[in-house]
Amino acid sequence: MGGRPRPRFRSVWVFHVDASACNGCDIEVLDVLTPFYDVERFGVKLVPTPRQADALLVSGSVNRQAVIGLKRVYEAMPPKPRIVAAVGACAIAGGIFYDSLAVYGGVDKIIPVHIYIPGCPPRPEAILFGLGQLLGLVNKKIEAKILYPRRHVLDRRYGVLFNERLYKDLRYYLTRYVGYYDRDYILDDLLEIINSSRTVEELREKIMDKASRLKDPRLREVYSIAGGYIVEKIKGETGTVQGKHRVQV
Amino acid sequence: MAKYFEKTDKWVVTFRYPLEPLEPPRELRGKPEINPDLCIGCGACAEACPPNAITKEIDYREGYARIRIFYGRCIYCGRCWEVCPEGAIVLTNIFEMATPSKDDLIYEVNLELHTCSRCGRYTEFTERQIHRAYTLLTRIPRERRKELLDRMFLCRDCRRQVFSHDALRSRRTDKYGRASQTPF
Ligand code: SF4
Ligand code: SF4
Ligand code: SF4
């Protein structure tokens, strides 16, 4: 056993209620029962009737039809321990359907809930984590954070060639090509090159050099496009300083 | 029999997750977090969030703009990440968020509101937003710059008053003889 915490419950039999879920959460609950995730090693078993169930797994944002069934299921359960787990964003607070007329938005508005498992849908691991908490195998890891940061914003450093406005332009330009995930990595890399170069020619050479050393042809393309854009932008910016462009306020 | 189990042990696919820690993939879209040093409190993320998991609230009494994420409703779409102009909000790969209490699912950043330099009341934008606007003002000629900077630090009411005052005094007129509208 080692240092493992002592389980609170021995084997919990669960009944799964689909209270108007989109089926995303239900599929993940099924995943948890497969041999890979295998929740049955903790004694958790899916039962076909609420009369045998110790716990309810409720997914979905509880619409007007589902609330009747949900209440009947809850009443049909044996009075102890009557555990309820809310699975997914919908079951916690309505999720993406939160402002619909047809939904109550949250299981806890109908019946008391003992554990909330966020996610849309939650990963099978997240459901395992929630059930593990219910059984007393793991402890919760999240807590509320309320921050009061200092007054002024952290400024980035842009070297001699760049400024905040050019950085923002480059950021949106890159988003169009690579999306937001890769954008941040590429942008950090480019900013390092920009900060270390003193003239536009040097910058162009450095970026093209970097692009030619990359293995991925897609990345190479993005770097060369971004390099062309940066050089053009920096030249345009020096033009505005000398008053060649029309002023835009 | 014991030998049989020894052999089959190699083929066990079940992982021991809740009993052993698990390293999620880097790309996993998990819990969104705001970097409190970068956020300027613009509220773009609150606008973009499809289920309104992020809300922006202006507290004039305390003088704070409050950006609050409620993880219970978040659908991990990454729209906030996409729109944030400062790169402050990022989806981490943390997924272990199950909790017995809804109050744990809150992440809040409180940013100081700017006070009007004329009347001293709280404005509806933060100190950091003003700072950022100032650093973005690069394409404006010097004479226009002074005019803008005079009004940048005012609240909405004071701007209106100062602007109408200036417009009335202004000698510049359009072709119908009216005072010309200077864009603010
Ligand atoms: S939380 Fe997401 S996946 Fe689950 S039922 Fe609601 S919309 Fe579907
Ligand atoms: S990931 Fe999507 S749902 Fe979650 S806070 Fe960001 S915009 Fe809102
Ligand atoms: S969009 Fe970014 S900078 Fe604006 S309030 Fe949200 S996290 Fe802060």
Side-chain angles (χ1 to χ4, degrees), chain B residues 155-175:
Chain B
C155 69
R156 194 179 282 182
D157 286 343
C158 289
R159 272 181 200 178
R160 200 178 292 134
Q161 282 170 17
V162 168
F163 172 71
S164 47
H165 195 71
D166 284 1
L168 285 175
R169 268 196 328 191
S170 153
R171 296 241 186 85
R172 276 176 287 173
T173 50
D174 61 9
K175 61 181 175 180

PDB file of all heavy atoms in Angstrom, chain B residues 155-175:
ATOM      1  N   CYS B 155     -11.092  61.657 -17.903  1.00  0.00           N
ATOM      2  CA  CYS B 155     -12.195  60.695 -17.951  1.00  0.00           C
ATOM      3  C   CYS B 155     -13.125  61.085 -19.095  1.00  0.00           C
ATOM      4  O   CYS B 155     -12.941  62.117 -19.740  1.00  0.00           O
ATOM      5  CB  CYS B 155     -12.935  60.661 -16.626  1.00  0.00           C
ATOM      6  SG  CYS B 155     -13.867  62.143 -16.274  1.00  0.00           S
ATOM      7  N   ARG B 156     -14.131  60.293 -19.325  1.00  0.00           N
ATOM      8  CA  ARG B 156     -14.983  60.507 -20.488  1.00  0.00           C
ATOM      9  C   ARG B 156     -15.708  61.858 -20.423  1.00  0.00           C
ATOM     10  O   ARG B 156     -15.772  62.581 -21.405  1.00  0.00           O
ATOM     11  CB  ARG B 156     -15.994  59.371 -20.585  1.00  0.00           C
ATOM     12  CG  ARG B 156     -16.679  59.314 -21.898  1.00  0.00           C
ATOM     13  CD  ARG B 156     -17.632  58.189 -21.945  1.00  0.00           C
ATOM     14  NE  ARG B 156     -16.956  56.914 -22.174  1.00  0.00           N
ATOM     15  CZ  ARG B 156     -17.608  55.768 -22.298  1.00  0.00           C
ATOM     16  NH1 ARG B 156     -18.903  55.737 -22.188  1.00  0.00           N
ATOM     17  NH2 ARG B 156     -16.964  54.662 -22.523  1.00  0.00           N
ATOM     18  N   ASP B 157     -16.220  62.200 -19.254  1.00  0.00           N
ATOM     19  CA  ASP B 157     -16.963  63.459 -19.105  1.00  0.00           C
ATOM     20  C   ASP B 157     -16.057  64.662 -19.328  1.00  0.00           C
ATOM     21  O   ASP B 157     -16.417  65.609 -20.016  1.00  0.00           O
ATOM     22  CB  ASP B 157     -17.592  63.545 -17.714  1.00  0.00           C
ATOM     23  CG  ASP B 157     -18.772  62.619 -17.598  1.00  0.00           C
ATOM     24  OD1 ASP B 157     -19.274  62.183 -18.654  1.00  0.00           O
ATOM     25  OD2 ASP B 157     -19.171  62.318 -16.470  1.00  0.00           O
ATOM     26  N   CYS B 158     -14.853  64.601 -18.704  1.00  0.00           N
ATOM     27  CA  CYS B 158     -13.930  65.729 -18.844  1.00  0.00           C
ATOM     28  C   CYS B 158     -13.484  65.890 -20.281  1.00  0.00           C
ATOM     29  O   CYS B 158     -13.318  67.002 -20.762  1.00  0.00           O
ATOM     30  CB  CYS B 158     -12.733  65.536 -17.936  1.00  0.00           C
ATOM     31  SG  CYS B 158     -13.154  65.731 -16.216  1.00  0.00           S
ATOM     32  N   ARG B 159     -13.291  64.761 -20.982  1.00  0.00           N
ATOM     33  CA  ARG B 159     -12.916  64.840 -22.388  1.00  0.00           C
ATOM     34  C   ARG B 159     -13.970  65.584 -23.177  1.00  0.00           C
ATOM     35  O   ARG B 159     -13.667  66.437 -24.006  1.00  0.00           O
ATOM     36  CB  ARG B 159     -12.803  63.438 -22.976  1.00  0.00           C
ATOM     37  CG  ARG B 159     -11.470  62.848 -22.812  1.00  0.00           C
ATOM     38  CD  ARG B 159     -11.464  61.501 -23.430  1.00  0.00           C
ATOM     39  NE  ARG B 159     -10.365  60.727 -22.876  1.00  0.00           N
ATOM     40  CZ  ARG B 159     -10.140  59.480 -23.210  1.00  0.00           C
ATOM     41  NH1 ARG B 159     -10.922  58.861 -24.051  1.00  0.00           N
ATOM     42  NH2 ARG B 159      -9.122  58.849 -22.691  1.00  0.00           N
ATOM     43  N   ARG B 160     -15.226  65.250 -22.897  1.00  0.00           N
ATOM     44  CA  ARG B 160     -16.320  65.866 -23.631  1.00  0.00           C
ATOM     45  C   ARG B 160     -16.327  67.373 -23.377  1.00  0.00           C
ATOM     46  O   ARG B 160     -16.430  68.173 -24.300  1.00  0.00           O
ATOM     47  CB  ARG B 160     -17.632  65.233 -23.210  1.00  0.00           C
ATOM     48  CG  ARG B 160     -18.737  65.426 -24.205  1.00  0.00           C
ATOM     49  CD  ARG B 160     -20.000  64.743 -23.750  1.00  0.00           C
ATOM     50  NE  ARG B 160     -19.895  63.295 -23.749  1.00  0.00           N
ATOM     51  CZ  ARG B 160     -20.303  62.514 -22.765  1.00  0.00           C
ATOM     52  NH1 ARG B 160     -20.836  63.030 -21.685  1.00  0.00           N
ATOM     53  NH2 ARG B 160     -20.190  61.219 -22.852  1.00  0.00           N
ATOM     54  N   GLN B 161     -16.169  67.724 -22.119  1.00  0.00           N
ATOM     55  CA  GLN B 161     -16.184  69.149 -21.769  1.00  0.00           C
ATOM     56  C   GLN B 161     -15.019  69.892 -22.418  1.00  0.00           C
ATOM     57  O   GLN B 161     -15.206  70.925 -23.052  1.00  0.00           O
ATOM     58  CB  GLN B 161     -16.101  69.306 -20.260  1.00  0.00           C
ATOM     59  CG  GLN B 161     -17.428  69.040 -19.582  1.00  0.00           C
ATOM     60  CD  GLN B 161     -17.266  68.962 -18.078  1.00  0.00           C
ATOM     61  OE1 GLN B 161     -16.260  69.400 -17.543  1.00  0.00           O
ATOM     62  NE2 GLN B 161     -18.259  68.401 -17.425  1.00  0.00           N
ATOM     63  N   VAL B 162     -13.825  69.322 -22.260  1.00  0.00           N
ATOM     64  CA  VAL B 162     -12.635  69.979 -22.807  1.00  0.00           C
ATOM     65  C   VAL B 162     -12.747  70.086 -24.318  1.00  0.00           C
ATOM     66  O   VAL B 162     -12.463  71.131 -24.908  1.00  0.00           O
ATOM     67  CB  VAL B 162     -11.365  69.188 -22.409  1.00  0.00           C
ATOM     68  CG1 VAL B 162     -10.173  69.665 -23.188  1.00  0.00           C
ATOM     69  CG2 VAL B 162     -11.125  69.329 -20.935  1.00  0.00           C
ATOM     70  N   PHE B 163     -13.242  69.027 -24.928  1.00  0.00           N
ATOM     71  CA  PHE B 163     -13.348  69.009 -26.378  1.00  0.00           C
ATOM     72  C   PHE B 163     -14.337  70.070 -26.865  1.00  0.00           C
ATOM     73  O   PHE B 163     -14.052  70.836 -27.778  1.00  0.00           O
ATOM     74  CB  PHE B 163     -13.793  67.633 -26.865  1.00  0.00           C
ATOM     75  CG  PHE B 163     -14.097  67.602 -28.321  1.00  0.00           C
ATOM     76  CD1 PHE B 163     -13.076  67.693 -29.244  1.00  0.00           C
ATOM     77  CD2 PHE B 163     -15.403  67.517 -28.765  1.00  0.00           C
ATOM     78  CE1 PHE B 163     -13.352  67.682 -30.593  1.00  0.00           C
ATOM     79  CE2 PHE B 163     -15.677  67.512 -30.106  1.00  0.00           C
ATOM     80  CZ  PHE B 163     -14.654  67.587 -31.029  1.00  0.00           C
ATOM     81  N   SER B 164     -15.492  70.159 -26.218  1.00  0.00           N
ATOM     82  CA  SER B 164     -16.476  71.127 -26.707  1.00  0.00           C
ATOM     83  C   SER B 164     -15.996  72.554 -26.439  1.00  0.00           C
ATOM     84  O   SER B 164     -16.198  73.445 -27.257  1.00  0.00           O
ATOM     85  CB  SER B 164     -17.842  70.883 -26.052  1.00  0.00           C
ATOM     86  OG  SER B 164     -17.699  70.733 -24.689  1.00  0.00           O
ATOM     87  N   HIS B 165     -15.312  72.720 -25.347  1.00  0.00           N
ATOM     88  CA  HIS B 165     -14.729  74.021 -25.032  1.00  0.00           C
ATOM     89  C   HIS B 165     -13.753  74.451 -26.128  1.00  0.00           C
ATOM     90  O   HIS B 165     -13.843  75.547 -26.687  1.00  0.00           O
ATOM     91  CB  HIS B 165     -13.998  73.896 -23.697  1.00  0.00           C
ATOM     92  CG  HIS B 165     -13.652  75.204 -23.071  1.00  0.00           C
ATOM     93  ND1 HIS B 165     -14.608  76.027 -22.523  1.00  0.00           N
ATOM     94  CD2 HIS B 165     -12.466  75.830 -22.935  1.00  0.00           C
ATOM     95  CE1 HIS B 165     -14.024  77.108 -22.068  1.00  0.00           C
ATOM     96  NE2 HIS B 165     -12.727  77.015 -22.304  1.00  0.00           N
ATOM     97  N   ASP B 166     -12.856  73.510 -26.459  1.00  0.00           N
ATOM     98  CA  ASP B 166     -11.858  73.801 -27.494  1.00  0.00           C
ATOM     99  C   ASP B 166     -12.515  74.041 -28.838  1.00  0.00           C
ATOM    100  O   ASP B 166     -12.124  74.933 -29.582  1.00  0.00           O
ATOM    101  CB  ASP B 166     -10.890  72.623 -27.626  1.00  0.00           C
ATOM    102  CG  ASP B 166      -9.907  72.604 -26.486  1.00  0.00           C
ATOM    103  OD1 ASP B 166     -10.027  73.486 -25.622  1.00  0.00           O
ATOM    104  OD2 ASP B 166      -9.038  71.718 -26.466  1.00  0.00           O
ATOM    105  N   ALA B 167     -13.538  73.228 -29.134  1.00  0.00           N
ATOM    106  CA  ALA B 167     -14.180  73.342 -30.443  1.00  0.00           C
ATOM    107  C   ALA B 167     -14.856  74.696 -30.572  1.00  0.00           C
ATOM    108  O   ALA B 167     -14.858  75.304 -31.653  1.00  0.00           O
ATOM    109  CB  ALA B 167     -15.201  72.225 -30.613  1.00  0.00           C
ATOM    110  N   LEU B 168     -15.436  75.174 -29.485  1.00  0.00           N
ATOM    111  CA  LEU B 168     -16.099  76.479 -29.549  1.00  0.00           C
ATOM    112  C   LEU B 168     -15.077  77.600 -29.738  1.00  0.00           C
ATOM    113  O   LEU B 168     -15.329  78.565 -30.449  1.00  0.00           O
ATOM    114  CB  LEU B 168     -16.886  76.725 -28.253  1.00  0.00           C
ATOM    115  CG  LEU B 168     -18.188  75.936 -28.146  1.00  0.00           C
ATOM    116  CD1 LEU B 168     -18.818  76.161 -26.797  1.00  0.00           C
ATOM    117  CD2 LEU B 168     -19.146  76.335 -29.261  1.00  0.00           C
ATOM    118  N   ARG B 169     -13.950  77.436 -29.090  1.00  0.00           N
ATOM    119  CA  ARG B 169     -12.933  78.486 -29.181  1.00  0.00           C
ATOM    120  C   ARG B 169     -12.202  78.472 -30.514  1.00  0.00           C
ATOM    121  O   ARG B 169     -11.630  79.472 -30.927  1.00  0.00           O
ATOM    122  CB  ARG B 169     -11.915  78.287 -28.072  1.00  0.00           C
ATOM    123  CG  ARG B 169     -12.252  79.056 -26.820  1.00  0.00           C
ATOM    124  CD  ARG B 169     -11.059  79.127 -25.945  1.00  0.00           C
ATOM    125  NE  ARG B 169     -10.234  77.918 -26.114  1.00  0.00           N
ATOM    126  CZ  ARG B 169      -9.233  77.607 -25.320  1.00  0.00           C
ATOM    127  NH1 ARG B 169      -8.939  78.410 -24.326  1.00  0.00           N
ATOM    128  NH2 ARG B 169      -8.528  76.520 -25.497  1.00  0.00           N
ATOM    129  N   SER B 170     -12.224  77.297 -31.137  1.00  0.00           N
ATOM    130  CA  SER B 170     -11.400  77.114 -32.325  1.00  0.00           C
ATOM    131  C   SER B 170     -11.789  78.080 -33.434  1.00  0.00           C
ATOM    132  O   SER B 170     -12.963  78.323 -33.702  1.00  0.00           O
ATOM    133  CB  SER B 170     -11.538  75.672 -32.798  1.00  0.00           C
ATOM    134  OG  SER B 170     -11.306  75.603 -34.166  1.00  0.00           O
ATOM    135  N   ARG B 171     -10.765  78.615 -34.131  1.00  0.00           N
ATOM    136  CA  ARG B 171     -11.039  79.535 -35.243  1.00  0.00           C
ATOM    137  C   ARG B 171     -11.298  78.755 -36.521  1.00  0.00           C
ATOM    138  O   ARG B 171     -11.834  79.287 -37.468  1.00  0.00           O
ATOM    139  CB  ARG B 171      -9.820  80.431 -35.470  1.00  0.00           C
ATOM    140  CG  ARG B 171      -9.521  81.326 -34.304  1.00  0.00           C
ATOM    141  CD  ARG B 171      -9.606  82.784 -34.718  1.00  0.00           C
ATOM    142  NE  ARG B 171      -9.175  83.631 -33.617  1.00  0.00           N
ATOM    143  CZ  ARG B 171      -7.895  83.917 -33.411  1.00  0.00           C
ATOM    144  NH1 ARG B 171      -6.972  83.461 -34.221  1.00  0.00           N
ATOM    145  NH2 ARG B 171      -7.573  84.680 -32.397  1.00  0.00           N
ATOM    146  N   ARG B 172     -10.844  77.497 -36.519  1.00  0.00           N
ATOM    147  CA  ARG B 172     -10.957  76.729 -37.757  1.00  0.00           C
ATOM    148  C   ARG B 172     -12.425  76.452 -38.055  1.00  0.00           C
ATOM    149  O   ARG B 172     -13.177  76.028 -37.184  1.00  0.00           O
ATOM    150  CB  ARG B 172     -10.210  75.401 -37.634  1.00  0.00           C
ATOM    151  CG  ARG B 172      -8.740  75.550 -37.932  1.00  0.00           C
ATOM    152  CD  ARG B 172      -8.036  74.275 -37.701  1.00  0.00           C
ATOM    153  NE  ARG B 172      -7.916  73.982 -36.275  1.00  0.00           N
ATOM    154  CZ  ARG B 172      -7.444  72.844 -35.812  1.00  0.00           C
ATOM    155  NH1 ARG B 172      -7.092  71.893 -36.638  1.00  0.00           N
ATOM    156  NH2 ARG B 172      -7.348  72.641 -34.512  1.00  0.00           N
ATOM    157  N   THR B 173     -12.838  76.701 -39.286  1.00  0.00           N
ATOM    158  CA  THR B 173     -14.222  76.428 -39.656  1.00  0.00           C
ATOM    159  C   THR B 173     -14.227  75.613 -40.936  1.00  0.00           C
ATOM    160  O   THR B 173     -13.273  75.640 -41.712  1.00  0.00           O
ATOM    161  CB  THR B 173     -15.006  77.725 -39.908  1.00  0.00           C
ATOM    162  OG1 THR B 173     -14.253  78.539 -40.809  1.00  0.00           O
ATOM    163  CG2 THR B 173     -15.269  78.474 -38.626  1.00  0.00           C
ATOM    164  N   ASP B 174     -15.308  74.859 -41.166  1.00  0.00           N
ATOM    165  CA  ASP B 174     -15.409  74.130 -42.426  1.00  0.00           C
ATOM    166  C   ASP B 174     -16.066  75.024 -43.471  1.00  0.00           C
ATOM    167  O   ASP B 174     -16.293  76.206 -43.246  1.00  0.00           O
ATOM    168  CB  ASP B 174     -16.172  72.813 -42.209  1.00  0.00           C
ATOM    169  CG  ASP B 174     -17.579  73.050 -41.729  1.00  0.00           C
ATOM    170  OD1 ASP B 174     -18.001  74.220 -41.724  1.00  0.00           O
ATOM    171  OD2 ASP B 174     -18.247  72.081 -41.341  1.00  0.00           O
ATOM    172  N   LYS B 175     -16.415  74.447 -44.619  1.00  0.00           N
ATOM    173  CA  LYS B 175     -16.872  75.314 -45.703  1.00  0.00           C
ATOM    174  C   LYS B 175     -18.257  75.915 -45.444  1.00  0.00           C
ATOM    175  O   LYS B 175     -18.682  76.816 -46.141  1.00  0.00           O
ATOM    176  CB  LYS B 175     -16.852  74.567 -47.033  1.00  0.00           C
ATOM    177  CG  LYS B 175     -17.740  73.370 -47.094  1.00  0.00           C
ATOM    178  CD  LYS B 175     -17.611  72.703 -48.437  1.00  0.00           C
ATOM    179  CE  LYS B 175     -18.426  71.427 -48.460  1.00  0.00           C
ATOM    180  NZ  LYS B 175     -18.337  70.729 -49.735  1.00  0.00           N
TER     181      LYS B 175
END
